[in-house]
């Protein structure tokens, strides 16, 4: 009787499998970014930044990028222009960014990091990397190899490769 029950089992529903993968991926990301002794959330919380402000601040940190318009930032970050504008206004008030005149078009204002903003962006990025390093160090050699192979496969996707290239510039590697 038990044998008959096991031979009639259905294969997992593909939707359920995707849902399970989503939960696994979410757990993985939470562990990497906020698990244990990670300081990234503490640094962000202490900064008093909103999520959108943090995204704009870190986006401006890329060393080879010029100051950017709010419109360009909204497109790069996938947030509305209004949200990017509110974030920019808050960052200017906190003296983390400044608005600079475009040298080619005086009507255009660009957003650039101040020294204080650059220092905070670097602290956020460093805390993020420290959490990831802690996680990578906790892996066995076999786990590290498997994770790297999976990530290398995903880096073949153009949207992930683009994010990787941008992030690599920000962390200076």
């Amino acid at each position: 009787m038990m044998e008959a029950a096991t031979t009639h089992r259905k294969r997992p529903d593909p939707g359920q499998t995707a849902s399970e993968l989503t939960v696994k991926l979410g757990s993985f990301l939470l562990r990497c970014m906020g698990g244990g002794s990670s300081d990234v959330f503490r640094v962000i919380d202490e900064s008093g930044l909103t999520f959108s402000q943090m995204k704009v601040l870190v986006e401006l940190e890329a060393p080879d990028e010029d100051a950017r318009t709010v419109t360009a930032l909204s497109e790069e970050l996938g947030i509305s222009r209004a949200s990017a504008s509110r974030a920019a206004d808050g960052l200017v008030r906190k003296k983390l960014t400044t608005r600079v005149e475009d040298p080619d078009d005086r009507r255009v204002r660009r957003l650039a990091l101040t020294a204080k903003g650059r220092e905070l962006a670097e602290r956020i990025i460093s805390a993020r990397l420290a959490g990831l390093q802690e996680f990578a160090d906790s892996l066995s050699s076999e786990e590290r190899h498997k994770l790297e192979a999976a990530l290398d496969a995903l880096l073949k996707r153009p949207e992930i490769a683009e994010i990787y290239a941008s992030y690599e510039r920000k962390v200076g590697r």
Side-chain angles (χ1 to χ4, degrees):
M1 188 126 134
M2 181 76 113
E3 200 172 25
T6 58
T7 58
H8 288 73
R9 282 190 192 157
K10 293 182 179 179
R11 291 185 176 193
D13 175 15
Q16 184 180 19
T17 302
S19 178
E20 289 174 16
L21 178 59
T22 301
V23 172
K24 288 177 183 179
L25 185 57
S27 301
F28 172 72
L29 292 173
L30 284 172
R31 168 55 183 92
C32 288
M33 300 310 296
S37 62
S38 176
D39 287 333
V40 71
F41 293 124
R42 183 189 54 76
V43 171
I44 294 168
D45 187 49
E46 288 173 358
S47 75
L49 297 179
T50 66
F51 187 68
S52 292
Q53 288 171 339
M54 187 267 310
K55 287 175 71 172
V56 168
L57 186 81
V58 171
E59 184 63 28
L60 287 170
E61 174 52 19
D64 60 340
E65 296 281 343
D66 291 330
R68 283 173 275 168
T69 65
V70 168
T71 300
L73 286 164
S74 72
E75 290 169 1
E76 291 167 20
L77 296 171
I79 59 178
S80 72
R81 188 178 180 315
S83 181
S85 183
R86 282 190 302 275
D89 290 345
L91 292 170
V92 169
R93 277 193 304 277
K94 293 173 191 259
K95 299 188 181 339
L96 297 170
T97 61
T98 185
R99 286 192 166 87
V100 295
E101 190 176 278
D102 187 299
D104 299 324
D105 186 346
R106 296 179 62 189
R107 297 169 298 171
V108 175
R109 306 290 281 174
R110 295 182 177 273
L111 206 60
L113 289 176
T114 62
K116 181 180 173 183
R118 187 163 309 284
E119 187 271 332
L120 179 56
E122 288 171 0
R123 280 184 39 225
I124 291 169
I125 291 169
S126 292
R128 193 185 279 173
L129 288 173
L132 293 170
Q133 185 67 53
E134 177 190 337
F135 174 73
D137 290 345
S138 75
L139 298 174
S140 69
S141 178
E142 181 184 354
E143 290 170 329
R144 192 175 299 117
H145 177 74
K146 287 179 180 179
L147 179 58
E148 189 164 6
L151 292 173
D152 286 343
L154 291 172
L155 281 168
K156 292 177 184 170
R157 295 179 61 147
E159 73 276 18
I160 297 175
E162 183 179 330
I163 293 167
Y164 175 75
S166 173
Y167 197 64
E168 193 174 37
R169 285 192 311 272
K170 286 177 193 159
V171 299
R173 293 196 174 171

